[in-house]
């Protein structure tokens, strides 16, 4: 040990010191004392806080640092008392970078704090209590605000029923949603109307609304009373009733109907600028149908349910043009049937997949099959019309299995390969 390692202090033989031992570079195999401090090893401090239920607290070290202390530092059992002085070993707190914690309690110095320590402790305790009270008040205010914002919808006269429109329906899972006339949205399941059947989009219903027990603060349909007639709230498509000048030119687009689903009352249009837009029967008055290839002038708007996509907000007029009259639009042709093989079929769900001759894989549902063939077998050949799968962009589904001489052909004698051909 050298004087330079103890801050220049002059030590006497027999004095107690604490030091860090390192290998002596000048004497291999021996040790040297660095960071020598007069006095026993450890840091002295006073317990300023102790939580018996959690078994932890905090200490104020004599050099001004604040250190976390856990019951495990005193052997895993026992308790500490506020004001108790301890000699401890400190280490950086691994859970709170930049802070300290007690690694080990070496000894208890005294149980009785000094008068100055008592004054400091009482002031610190008072400050802590004030901070805790303020935090509790803040937490209560935040909880009240949260409860107000998420207060469950209050149903008034639910037994008298409410009117609404089917705005979403998933036939494969048997559930959907209604938008009520007062703007609320309610979940509906197939079980409330017998367990079978479907609800077409745009259908008007008189229903009993309940609080959804599975989703607090939301609504569900408890009972469907009866169907309501669809009231036309806007005129049918006619150039005599709506003119192009009636709408803002900035929103007006000309497009062709590229897809229409009569059972759901919705479809899609391809605009002259290349955009694709969703269109629902409700913008046609609620009862009008469209035909693939029909050209319309419409008002566009962002689709509120699909950010980044478009929907038709209003039909301005039927132009009477054919698709070929639009320079950038291709005429819509009837889709052709393609031969394929059933690669997977789930009878309980009524759906599966087929592999077409060109290597594509297409989803098929029982609803696309003719009434005389409501089930398929793996390996069975069929001819079907494919269309883009709207629920899975970039994939395909079967729109219709062709009946008659081009209907389901049966199981081939040799099962074709269901794998795609690798393209060189």
């Amino acid at each position: 040990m050298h004087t330079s390692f103890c801050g220049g202090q002059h030590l006497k033989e027999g004095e107690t010191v604490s030091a860090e031992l390192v290998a002596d570079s000048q004497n291999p195999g021996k040790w040297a004392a660095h960071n020598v401090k007069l006095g026993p090893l450890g840091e002295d401090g006073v317990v300023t806080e102790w939580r018996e239920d959690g078994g932890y607290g905090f200490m104020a070290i004599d050099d001004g640092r604040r250190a976390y202390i856990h019951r495990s530092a005193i052997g895993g059992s026992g308790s500490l008392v506020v004001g108790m002085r301890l000699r401890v070993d400190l280490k950086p707190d691994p859970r709170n970078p930049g802070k300290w914690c007690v690694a080990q309690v070496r000894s208890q110095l005294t149980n009785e704090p000094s008068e100055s320590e008592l004054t400091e402790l009482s002031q610190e305790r008072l400050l802590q209590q004030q901070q805790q009270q303020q935090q509790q008040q803040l937490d209560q205010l935040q909880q009240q605000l949260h409860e107000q914002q998420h207060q469950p919808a209050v149903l008034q006269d639910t037994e008298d029923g409410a009117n609404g429109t089917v705005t979403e329906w998933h036939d494969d899972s048997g559930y959907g949603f209604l938008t009520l006339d007062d703007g609320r949205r309610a979940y509906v399941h197939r079980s409330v109307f017998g367990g079978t059947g479907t609800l077409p989009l745009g259908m008007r219903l008189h229903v009993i609304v309940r609080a959804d027990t599975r989703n607090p603060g939301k609504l569900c349909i408890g009972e469907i009373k009866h169907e309501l007639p669809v009231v036309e709230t806007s005129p049918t498509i006619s150039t005599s009733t709506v003119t192009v000048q009636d709408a803002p030119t900035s929103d007006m687009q000309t497009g062709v109907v590229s897809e229409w689903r009569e059972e759901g009352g919705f479809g899609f249009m391809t605009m002259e600028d290349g955009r694709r837009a969703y269109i629902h029967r409700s913008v046609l008055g609620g009862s009008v149908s469209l035909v693939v290839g029909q050209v319309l002038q419409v008002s566009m708007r962002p689709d509120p349910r699909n950010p980044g996509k478009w929907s038709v907000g209003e039909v301005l007029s039927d132009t009477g043009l054919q698709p070929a009259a639009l320079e950038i639009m291709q005429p819509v042709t009837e889709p052709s049937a393609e031969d394929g093989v059933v690669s997977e079929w789930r009878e309980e769900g009524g759906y599966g997949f087929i592999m077409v001759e060109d290597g594509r894989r297409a989803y098929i549902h029982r609803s696309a099959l003719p009434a005389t063939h409501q089930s398929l077998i793996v390996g069975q050949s069929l001819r079907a019309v494919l269309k883009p799968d709207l629920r899975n962009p970039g994939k395909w589904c079967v729109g219709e299995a062709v009946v008659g001489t081009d209907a389901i052909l049966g199981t081939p004698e040799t099962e074709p390969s269901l794998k795609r051909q690798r393209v060189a």
Side-chain angles (χ1 to χ4, degrees):
M1 181 178 65
H2 191 267
T3 306
S4 59
F5 295 136
C6 57
Q9 298 182 75
H10 294 284
L11 303 178
K12 298 179 181 180
E13 185 175 352
E15 289 183 324
T16 302
V17 298
S18 60
E20 178 183 351
L21 296 182
V22 297
D24 191 338
S25 58
Q26 297 181 358
N27 297 283
K30 297 186 178 182
W31 299 88
H34 288 194
N35 299 324
V36 179
K37 295 181 181 179
L38 185 62
L41 188 66
E43 305 280 353
D44 293 346
V46 59
V47 179
T48 58
E49 184 178 347
W50 181 256
R51 300 186 181 181
E52 183 62 30
D53 51 349
Y56 70 93
F58 293 92
M59 290 185 62
I61 308 302
D62 289 351
D63 60 8
R65 288 178 293 175
R66 185 171 183 262
Y68 170 85
I69 181 171
H70 189 264
R71 179 176 282 138
S72 57
I74 55 176
S77 61
S79 300
L80 298 179
V81 179
V82 173
M84 181 182 292
R85 287 188 59 80
L86 303 173
R87 179 161 293 159
V88 299
D89 291 336
L90 297 184
K91 65 178 182 179
D93 191 336
R95 295 186 178 181
N96 295 283
K99 297 186 179 182
W100 297 89
C101 66
V102 175
Q104 178 184 0
V105 175
R106 288 190 167 270
S107 62
Q108 178 180 338
L109 302 179
T110 177
N111 285 331
E112 298 297 332
S114 64
E115 183 177 351
S116 60
E117 289 174 336
L118 284 174
T119 302
E120 182 180 354
L121 286 173
S122 61
Q123 293 176 348
E124 184 175 353
R125 292 282 297 199
L126 179 60
L127 178 61
Q128 290 176 352
Q129 290 176 357
Q130 291 175 346
Q131 291 176 343
Q132 290 176 357
Q133 290 175 355
Q134 293 175 355
Q135 185 63 41
Q136 289 175 356
Q137 293 175 353
L138 179 60
D139 292 343
Q140 291 175 355
L141 290 175
Q142 291 177 341
Q143 180 65 24
Q144 291 175 359
L145 179 61
H146 177 80
E147 292 175 353
Q148 291 175 358
Q149 292 177 343
H150 299 80
Q151 185 175 5
V154 178
L155 304 179
Q156 297 180 352
D157 300 327
T158 55
E159 295 301 329
D160 295 334
N163 298 333
T165 304
V166 180
T167 53
E168 184 177 344
W169 181 256
H170 301 273
D171 193 59
D172 51 347
S173 301
Y175 74 92
F177 293 89
L178 267 74
T179 298
L180 304 179
D181 290 353
D182 59 8
R184 294 176 298 172
R185 189 167 181 258
Y187 170 86
V188 59
H189 190 266
R190 180 179 281 143
S191 58
V192 300
F193 54 90
T196 59
T198 185
L199 295 179
L201 296 180
M203 176 182 284
R204 297 274 298 161
L205 298 172
H206 184 70
V207 297
I208 300 298
V209 184
R210 311 283 191 205
D212 192 337
T213 56
R214 295 186 178 181
N215 296 282
K218 297 187 178 182
L219 305 174
C220 67
I221 303 302
E223 180 183 355
I224 295 179
K225 288 294 188 178
H226 56 80
E227 182 178 355
L228 298 172
V230 177
V231 179
E232 294 190 8
T233 57
S234 60
T236 56
I237 304 173
S238 172
T239 54
S240 62
T241 57
V242 182
T243 62
V244 174
Q245 287 76 11
D246 290 335
T249 56
S250 59
D251 293 336
M252 186 183 69
Q253 287 285 332
T254 301
V256 60
V257 179
S258 57
E259 184 177 346
W260 182 256
R261 298 188 179 184
E262 181 61 30
E263 68 282 359
F266 71 94
F268 293 89
M269 294 185 63
T270 301
M271 300 299 146
E272 57 186 348
D273 61 2
R275 288 180 294 175
R276 186 169 182 262
Y278 171 85
I279 183 170
H280 188 264
R281 178 177 280 140
S282 59
V283 301
L284 308 170
S287 60
V288 179
S289 297
L290 297 178
V291 180
V292 173
Q294 189 171 0
V295 180
L296 305 173
Q297 287 181 334
V298 299
S299 175
M300 299 277 288
R301 66 180 181 184
D303 191 336
R305 295 187 177 181
N306 296 283
K309 298 187 178 182
W310 296 90
S311 64
V312 174
E314 181 183 1
V315 176
L316 304 176
S317 67
D318 184 348
T319 65
L321 299 175
Q322 297 299 319
L326 299 176
E327 293 181 359
I328 65 172
M329 293 184 183
Q330 298 297 326
V332 179
T333 59
E334 290 294 329
S336 58
E338 302 186 52
D339 292 336
V341 177
V342 179
S343 59
E344 183 179 347
W345 180 254
R346 299 187 180 182
E347 183 63 30
E348 67 281 1
Y351 71 93
F353 295 90
I354 69 169
M355 294 295 295
V356 209
E357 289 183 345
D358 61 6
R360 287 179 295 171
R361 183 172 182 260
Y363 170 85
I364 182 170
H365 189 264
R366 180 177 285 134
S367 59
L369 299 176
T372 55
H373 296 82
Q374 287 294 291
S375 182
L376 296 176
I377 302 173
V378 174
Q380 189 173 8
S381 300
L382 53 79
R383 181 165 295 172
V385 176
L386 299 189
K387 62 181 181 180
D389 191 337
L390 299 179
R391 295 183 180 177
N392 297 282
K395 298 187 179 182
W396 297 87
C397 66
V398 175
E400 180 183 2
V402 184
V403 297
T405 55
D406 292 330
I408 298 173
L409 305 177
T411 304
E413 294 181 0
T414 59
E415 183 176 348
S417 174
L418 301 181
K419 296 183 178 179
R420 296 173 182 249
Q421 297 294 328
R422 177 173 293 181
V423 179

